[in-house]
Amino acid sequence: MPPTRSGALLLLLFLVSHATPQPDPGHTDPATLKLLSLEQLSAMEVTTPSKEPQPAMRAPVAIYVITGEDIRRSGATSIPEALRGAPGVEVARIDGNKWSIGIRGFGSRLSRSVLVLIDGRTVYTSLFAGTYWEVQDTFMDDIDRIEVIRGPGGTIWGPNAVNGVINVITKSSKDTNGVRVAVLSGNEEQGNAAVRYGGGNGRNLNYRFYAKGFTRGPEDHPDQQNFDDWRAAQGGFRLDWDRNQRDTFTLQGDIYAEKAGERVSAASYTAPFSRIIDGNADLSGGNVLARWNRTNANGGNTQAQIYYDRTDRREPNVADIRNTFDADFLQRFRVPGRQQISWGLGARVISIENPVVVSGLEFVPFKRTDWLLTAFLQDEIGIVQNRLSLILGTKFLRTNFTGLELEPSARILWTPSDRHTFWAAYTHAVRTPSDAEENFFLSGYLGATPAGVPFFARFNANTSFAPEQLNGYELGYRRLFQKNLYVDFASFLNHYHNLFSEEVAGSVFPEAIPAPAHLLLPAQFRNSLYGRTEGFEIAPEWRPYTFWRLRASYSLLNMHLRTVAGAPEVGTAPVIEGSSPRHEVTVQSGFDVLKTVQFDLRYRYVSALPDPTGVPGENVRAYSTGDVRFAWRVRPEFELALVGQNLLQPSHVEAYGDPSTTVGIIRSGYVKLTWTH
């Protein structure tokens, strides 16, 4: 055996031989570093499936929980990177500050089929339908868990929870008292610093404040145009008040400012008609949220939440300023016959302004108001107490883009023992139209005729764009074998119709206004795609020893999309089918050794993305990569961590860029020092 390999093996054997069953409480923060047993993890309460705490083992949905400890040990420095460990979730980095994320297919820059929330505040935007991941941030050490639902969640959460729900939940301020400072630096993470201070009155009132800032370098660019550097600053607060044993109040907010480098295309009706711009997006915003929860005497509860959110995006080709006001009410109560009734109401109003930046991209009217009204009713029926349940419910919704829409669901949960769970579900979900589909005019320059006449194509607004529809069928099984092996399996079959399509809307004709005179090919966003997806995910976890944790996941996805017969479609189906990989594999290993040392490894395999033009080829090829993290608790209050990411090659491409640029994600590493007092 070569000396380097034998030395590494001896070191590993030495560390394992000195391993201890659990981290030493004297050297760790019990709130964040405790290694939960599989029994504790399966009993962990989750809220995303029903907006009510329930054990993850008994949730009749495909749910995966990424704990704060998982995030810390993964070395992730952003919420999208933290999602890489969840089965069925496709996370692909586009460049230095953008990601393509999908659940069970339809991965895209804005994750248009996935509803994303942070502490109950929806961050999904109706501008282009989806989530701008680069502005979803917080102090990563304050995240308690991320609950990921694979599959439709419209009955509980309303529109746009079509393929899944991602709910980022931060810690209560009573769990973050004291001071915590984290600083890190590396080749990509050039500088990152965060500080948090928490306190309280020692009884029922607790609070915290945080501030953070970072600068990140660009990724690998074949043309050496390193446009995607990234700088940001953010701060926020949270206050929790337990008024009595029944009533709790939360008040929290954030404010941020960023400069995110990007490459965009801009078409205009003045020469040179089309250009590629490398520039900065100026991004800023803030939010404030208030929530009240009362526990009722009969085991039910009442919740009320309001929030205000402002976003201000000023990119080189588009601007979006919006103010969102949202209110939500939910009540649960028990009735005879082992039934629990849940009902609720919600309202959202969004004031929008989209001033014109380039003449080829325009919203009409540029000042608008979007609104959403919802009502919710659900009955959970205990057919056999603690063993067999039937959950029936629906969400009623109305928006300025749609008439009345229903999102019904039926779920059955069978738990023959505390270690076995079977569940099955049918759900109907909708994605409501966005401003981009109903108010948007987008021009593209195609070139010039032999006579020198400019030739454009233009997507015109479609005020009749219909909601996208999903009928989803799911079947799942969970089992805890003894105390050291847990398996979670979920399968799905989804039928879609009225999916977004891009279509030619007529013949080429001459147009004089806007000047100069030019030829125009009219097009429109329509609903001519339909089809199905099917697949499954399996996620086992094994604890062969108390100091060693092994986790893995495998996800299979098949997509079959077609256009309605006769629709003059211009290639959307290949683009969507090529947006998500068919196979994904993740393997993770975590060691706790020497009381003060942690060693984590992660391997990922992602299969190829087909060429979105439909031409045979694999522009985004299959790749394998790995991450490593080594952490040493130097003293009770100090931790030093060394993190390496994407280590198996100098760089690799994960997603198609925009416009038509592929960026390599580089091998990177950083050093992080955390101080807690």
Side-chain angles (χ1 to χ4, degrees):
M1 180 179 294
T4 55
R5 293 186 179 180
S6 61
L9 179 60
L10 288 173
L11 175 60
L12 180 60
L13 290 173
F14 172 79
L15 293 175
V16 172
S17 68
H18 286 74
T20 55
Q22 295 183 7
D24 183 354
H27 291 80
T28 58
D29 176 1
T32 58
L33 307 187
K34 182 180 179 182
L35 188 62
L36 298 177
S37 69
L38 289 180
E39 285 184 304
Q40 291 171 314
L41 284 172
S42 64
M44 176 186 292
E45 289 189 337
V46 294
T47 58
T48 306
S50 62
K51 292 189 179 180
E52 178 184 28
Q54 64 183 129
M57 187 76 173
R58 296 180 59 86
V61 297
I63 188 167
Y64 189 86
V65 180
I66 304 169
T67 67
E69 172 72 351
D70 295 335
I71 296 171
R72 191 184 66 87
R73 297 187 67 153
S74 72
T77 58
S78 66
I79 292 174
E81 294 298 320
L83 295 171
R84 287 194 185 273
V89 180
E90 304 112 23
V91 179
R93 196 164 187 176
I94 299 172
D95 58 30
N97 54 64
K98 298 179 186 64
W99 287 263
S100 170
I101 295 181
I103 296 180
R104 294 178 173 175
F106 299 89
S108 68
R109 157 84 164 88
L110 293 178
S111 312
R112 74 179 192 189
S113 300
V114 178
L115 184 66
V116 183
L117 308 105
I118 298 179
D119 284 328
R121 174 176 55 88
T122 300
V123 297
Y124 186 103
T125 175
S126 60
L127 176 64
F128 290 111
T131 299
Y132 284 106
W133 288 100
E134 66 271 22
V135 294
Q136 313 311 328
D137 199 10
T138 187
F139 184 22
M140 297 296 289
D141 290 351
D142 283 348
I143 297 177
D144 181 69
R145 64 191 185 277
I146 303 176
E147 296 177 2
V148 180
I149 290 182
R150 292 119 48 211
T155 301
I156 298 295
W157 293 102
N160 310 316
V162 177
N163 279 16
V165 179
I166 296 173
N167 193 5
V168 181
I169 300 170
T170 63
K171 297 172 184 175
S172 170
S173 56
K174 67 181 179 182
D175 297 323
T176 55
N177 284 347
V179 180
R180 191 174 183 90
V181 179
V183 294
L184 62 91
S185 183
N187 63 323
E188 180 191 52
E189 292 279 353
Q190 297 173 344
N192 189 321
V195 59
R196 175 242 290 158
Y197 174 76
N201 64 3
R203 299 187 305 277
N204 61 351
L205 180 67
N206 293 276
Y207 60 86
R208 69 165 174 262
F209 300 91
Y210 78 90
K212 64 176 296 185
F214 64 79
T215 177
R216 291 175 181 161
E219 299 296 329
D220 180 46
H221 299 262
D223 60 5
Q224 304 303 311
Q225 300 299 312
N226 298 327
F227 57 81
D228 55 330
D229 56 339
W230 189 16
R231 299 172 300 284
Q234 180 163 328
F237 74 95
R238 174 164 173 161
L239 182 146
D240 292 285
W241 178 35
D242 298 332
R243 182 173 179 269
N244 50 46
Q245 292 184 342
R246 297 180 60 194
D247 297 296
T248 60
F249 296 87
T250 297
L251 179 67
Q252 62 188 97
D254 307 274
I255 189 169
Y256 65 89
E258 300 185 8
K259 284 189 178 295
E262 62 180 3
R263 170 171 290 177
V264 300
S265 60
S268 66
Y269 292 99
T270 57
F273 304 120
S274 180
R275 57 199 174 107
I276 300 296
I277 304 173
D278 290 349
N280 283 324
D282 291 321
L283 315 173
S284 63
N287 63 82
V288 61
L289 176 148
R291 181 170 50 250
W292 165 65
N293 187 84
R294 165 169 285 187
T295 302
N296 301 324
N298 64 355
N301 71 312
T302 303
Q303 302 175 26
Q305 174 182 284
I306 58 173
Y307 69 78
Y308 164 72
D309 191 319
R310 176 177 173 82
T311 62
D312 190 336
R313 298 186 63 88
R314 299 181 186 272
E315 301 182 65
N317 62 344
V318 65
D320 180 53
I321 301 97
R322 59 185 54 217
N323 296 278
T324 301
F325 303 85
D326 185 280
D328 188 73
F329 175 84
L330 177 66
Q331 187 176 54
R332 294 185 183 85
F333 56 90
R334 297 192 178 276
V335 297
R338 292 194 294 268
Q339 295 186 73
Q340 178 173 273
I341 303 295
S342 303
W343 72 279
L345 299 170
R348 182 178 305 149
V349 178
I350 310 172
S351 171
I352 305 165
E353 183 176 349
N354 297 117
V356 175
V357 179
V358 295
S359 59
L361 192 160
E362 184 177 3
F363 288 85
V364 179
F366 79 95
K367 288 187 177 181
R368 306 176 307 283
T369 299
D370 288 352
W371 54 266
L372 165 70
L373 298 175
T374 63
F376 163 68
L377 180 64
Q378 179 173 282
D379 186 7
E380 182 174 346
I381 307 165
I383 300 173
V384 179
Q385 189 170 8
N386 297 326
R387 288 292 177 257
L388 183 63
S389 298
L390 175 65
I391 303 102
L392 303 173
T394 189
K395 178 79 80 173
F396 307 86
L397 65 95
R398 177 79 186 272
T399 80
N400 54 303
F401 294 132
T402 66
L404 179 66
E405 295 284 341
L406 301 182
E407 296 188 292
S409 71
R411 297 181 182 272
I412 190 165
L413 177 71
W414 179 38
T415 52
S417 75
D418 292 340
R419 294 174 178 265
H420 296 258
T421 296
F422 296 88
W423 62 271
Y426 160 77
T427 310
H428 178 74
V430 301
R431 180 185 76 83
T432 54
S434 68
D435 296 301
E437 286 139 351
E438 298 228 1
N439 301 299
F440 190 43
F441 293 83
L442 175 65
S443 298
Y445 179 62
L446 302 181
T449 68
V453 178
F455 185 16
F456 289 87
R458 182 171 66 222
F459 284 95
N460 296 315
N462 181 2
T463 55
S464 299
F465 191 89
E468 295 185 341
Q469 308 281 337
L470 161 71
N471 290 310
Y473 306 86
E474 299 176 90
L475 184 66
Y477 173 66
R478 301 184 186 94
R479 181 168 182 181
L480 180 63
F481 296 85
Q482 301 302 320
K483 294 184 179 181
N484 64 347
L485 179 61
Y486 176 79
V487 175
D488 188 352
F489 172 84
S491 60
F492 62 93
L493 172 63
N494 292 331
H495 290 278
Y496 298 89
H497 60 280
N498 287 353
L499 288 178
F500 171 95
S501 63
E502 299 173 335
E503 300 179 24
V504 174
S507 301
V508 176
F509 66 92
E511 186 178 59
I513 300 175
H518 55 271
L519 295 178
L520 182 69
L521 174 66
Q524 201 169 54
F525 301 133
R526 293 181 179 170
N527 300 95
S528 296
L529 278 181
Y530 71 99
R532 75 177 193 275
T533 63
E534 73 260 348
F536 68 87
E537 304 105 17
I538 184 168
E541 180 168 342
W542 181 37
R543 302 279 179 87
Y545 302 99
T546 53
F547 57 83
W548 189 13
R549 178 186 187 186
L550 285 170
R551 289 179 295 167
S553 68
Y554 169 69
S555 305
L556 172 68
L557 169 70
N558 291 315
M559 301 184 71
H560 315 276
L561 302 180
R562 299 292 181 268
T563 56
V564 174
E569 206 267 332
V570 292
T572 310
V575 172
I576 296 177
E577 287 195 39
S579 63
S580 297
R582 188 181 183 201
H583 305 281
E584 283 194 288
V585 178
T586 301
V587 180
Q588 302 175 78
S589 172
F591 285 96
D592 289 88
V593 293
L594 291 177
K595 296 184 180 181
T596 58
V597 174
Q598 293 177 334
F599 184 60
D600 295 275
L601 298 168
R602 179 163 65 177
Y603 167 82
R604 293 186 291 114
Y605 168 79
V606 180
S607 62
L609 302 183
D611 190 319
T613 63
V615 178
E618 295 178 349
N619 286 353
V620 177
R621 299 184 179 277
Y623 71 89
S624 296
T625 193
D627 306 328
V628 62
R629 177 181 179 272
F630 177 84
W632 176 30
R633 180 70 52 168
V634 182
R635 295 178 58 185
E637 65 272 21
F638 284 102
E639 182 185 71
L640 177 66
L642 307 177
V643 177
Q645 297 172 318
N646 302 306
L647 298 179
L648 300 189
Q649 57 278 114
S651 68
H652 65 278
V653 176
E654 296 185 358
Y656 295 105
D658 185 21
S660 63
T661 302
T662 54
V663 175
I665 307 306
I666 64 173
R667 177 190 291 143
S668 62
Y670 67 81
V671 179
K672 179 179 180 180
L673 180 64
T674 305
W675 175 68
T676 306
H677 180 67

